[in-house]
Amino acid sequence: VCFSCPPFSSRPQMVDLRNGSTVTEFILVGFEQSSSSTWALLFALFLALYSLAMAMNGLIIFITWTDPRLNSPMYFFLGHLSFLDVCFITTTIPQMLIHLVVRNHTVSFASCLTQMYLVFGVGVAECILLAFMAYDRYVAICHPLNYAQIMSQQVCVRLVSSAWFFGLINGILLDYMTFRGPFCRDNHIENFFCEAPIVIALSCGDPQFSLRTIFADAVVVLLSPMVLIVISYARILASILGRASSSGRGKTFSTCASHLTVVIFFYTSAMFSYMNPRSTHGPDKDKPFSLLYTIITPMCNPIIYSFRNKEMKGAMMRALGRTSLS
């Protein structure tokens, strides 16, 4: 590990469009301007956050899939949400950690395409799954007598499968729109991973059609699940306010607050990255929001759910107790 090495700063000249050359690799310059001591600090920080996110999400996956006391649709969805978070954070952070300790920040065309596909696919699947989780809370609170019948195991499996299916199919469309044209301009990506709007801006010709398509896709992918979430929680709120028991209201609010917190974190950062005009973007604005939805949100999800849920805390204590005894 060479933290004392100077930051990689040799920028090749922009390729002349007249010579017919095309870009075959990209250079990620997310933290290129930082000093060596800052690189070391960032490496330690991101490694700690990544390790914490993997450990916490891994623990939730384990206990929701093995503890019989958590055999309910809510924890079934929560386990899959943690699995999506593990996949999501693994597509970006390990590469960033490697780039923080080596001078070569280049990624091949195929690697960039694959990373972007995984980010798109997993991110869209998580958007849809969060909407299904809101619907699950609506059925549990507003239709408790029919909850087991409406949210049967087969229905839950179909909902999770549809989230994965639409996510992976959507990733193919967005990948095609991003890489459909040749790249013969500057190959420097002002971020720590291959993000679609930044990559499109490097392509030859007019990128507006691809940007508009991705914007329209983001509107559908982000706003459609959000509409379902808003409707679900509006009906939940109406049902809660109609109850006389204050203790019942408090328990219901506590259960829903965890999911709403996760939704706000994830959707706010994703909307800024893919639904804002590119004129309002810049490295100083893009990177904080990219860090929010690629690192902070996957790390916070298990913490939010575990610390606000007595059943989750009890299951974690039982799992850790079994591990220590063995």
Side-chain angles (χ1 to χ4, degrees):
V1 177
C2 181
F3 288 120
S4 61
C5 298
F8 178 74
S9 60
S10 59
R11 286 174 169 262
Q13 296 291 327
M14 184 182 297
V15 180
D16 190 350
L17 296 178
R18 294 171 299 178
N19 62 13
S21 300
T22 58
V23 171
T24 58
E25 61 184 18
F26 297 97
I27 300 176
L28 301 175
V29 293
F31 301 103
E32 183 182 293
Q33 303 302 324
S34 304
S35 63
S36 299
S37 59
T38 303
W39 282 19
L41 179 62
L42 290 174
F43 178 84
L45 175 62
F46 292 143
L47 179 61
L49 294 177
Y50 178 70
S51 302
L52 178 62
M54 292 294 289
M56 292 294 293
N57 282 293
L59 180 59
I60 286 184
I61 293 171
F62 176 75
I63 62 178
T64 54
W65 293 358
T66 60
D67 195 322
R69 302 185 190 184
L70 301 182
N71 186 20
S72 69
M74 181 177 72
Y75 297 111
F76 176 79
F77 290 132
L78 180 57
H80 282 277
L81 178 66
S82 292
F83 181 71
L84 283 170
D85 283 335
V86 167
C87 297
F88 194 67
I89 196 172
T90 304
T91 60
T92 57
I93 306 307
Q95 181 191 68
M96 183 181 67
L97 292 174
I98 294 174
H99 288 176
L100 284 171
V101 298
V102 299
R103 297 183 61 184
N104 184 7
H105 292 184
T106 61
V107 291
S108 66
F109 192 92
S111 297
C112 190
L113 186 148
T114 303
Q115 183 186 57
M116 194 176 298
Y117 172 74
L118 294 175
V119 169
F120 278 140
V122 176
V124 171
E126 186 160 339
C127 287
I128 298 174
L129 184 62
L130 288 172
F132 291 155
M133 293 175 72
Y135 176 73
D136 170 71
R137 292 298 83 211
Y138 157 72
V139 176
I141 295 170
C142 299
H143 302 282
L145 298 180
N146 298 324
Y147 178 66
Q149 180 180 1
I150 297 175
M151 300 301 295
S152 64
Q153 184 177 6
Q154 291 183 345
V155 171
C156 293
V157 171
R158 289 174 182 173
L159 291 177
V160 172
S161 300
S162 64
W164 274 104
F165 174 78
F166 284 112
L168 296 178
I169 294 298
N170 193 261
I172 295 175
L173 169 65
L174 296 180
D175 245 16
Y176 170 75
M177 295 307 302
T178 302
F179 293 95
R180 69 189 186 93
F183 290 83
C184 48
R185 297 179 180 175
D186 188 9
N187 63 342
H188 290 77
I189 299 176
E190 296 288 346
N191 211 326
F192 59 89
F193 73 101
C194 294
E195 194 167 29
I198 302 176
V199 175
I200 290 175
L202 303 177
S203 63
C204 300
D206 185 9
Q208 291 305 313
F209 177 73
S210 295
L211 289 174
R212 285 194 294 266
T213 302
I214 289 183
F215 175 83
D217 183 83
V219 170
V220 175
V221 169
L222 292 175
L223 294 188
S224 297
M226 181 171 285
V227 169
L228 179 59
I229 292 172
V230 170
I231 293 175
S232 298
Y233 278 105
R235 295 188 176 183
I236 289 173
L237 182 62
S239 176
I240 292 174
L241 296 178
R243 296 178 181 178
S245 173
S246 59
S247 60
R249 292 179 185 176
K251 183 177 180 180
T252 305
F253 273 124
S254 178
T255 302
C256 297
S258 301
H259 181 256
L260 278 175
T261 305
V262 171
V263 167
I264 291 172
F265 276 153
F266 186 82
Y267 274 80
T268 300
S269 55
M271 283 182 175
F272 180 88
S273 297
Y274 293 98
M275 293 182 63
N276 263 9
R278 293 308 301 167
S279 59
T280 64
H281 286 225
D284 295 335
K285 297 179 181 179
D286 288 336
K287 278 184 285 189
F289 282 93
S290 298
L291 290 171
L292 179 62
Y293 76 85
T294 56
I295 301 179
I296 305 301
T297 301
M299 183 195 68
C300 289
N301 284 357
I303 297 176
I304 292 171
Y305 277 106
S306 61
F307 281 98
R308 296 187 62 90
N309 191 304
K310 292 182 180 180
E311 293 180 348
M312 285 297 301
K313 288 189 285 188
M316 286 184 176
M317 295 301 296
R318 290 192 296 270
L320 294 175
R322 289 196 300 268
T323 303
S324 61
L325 288 176
S326 60

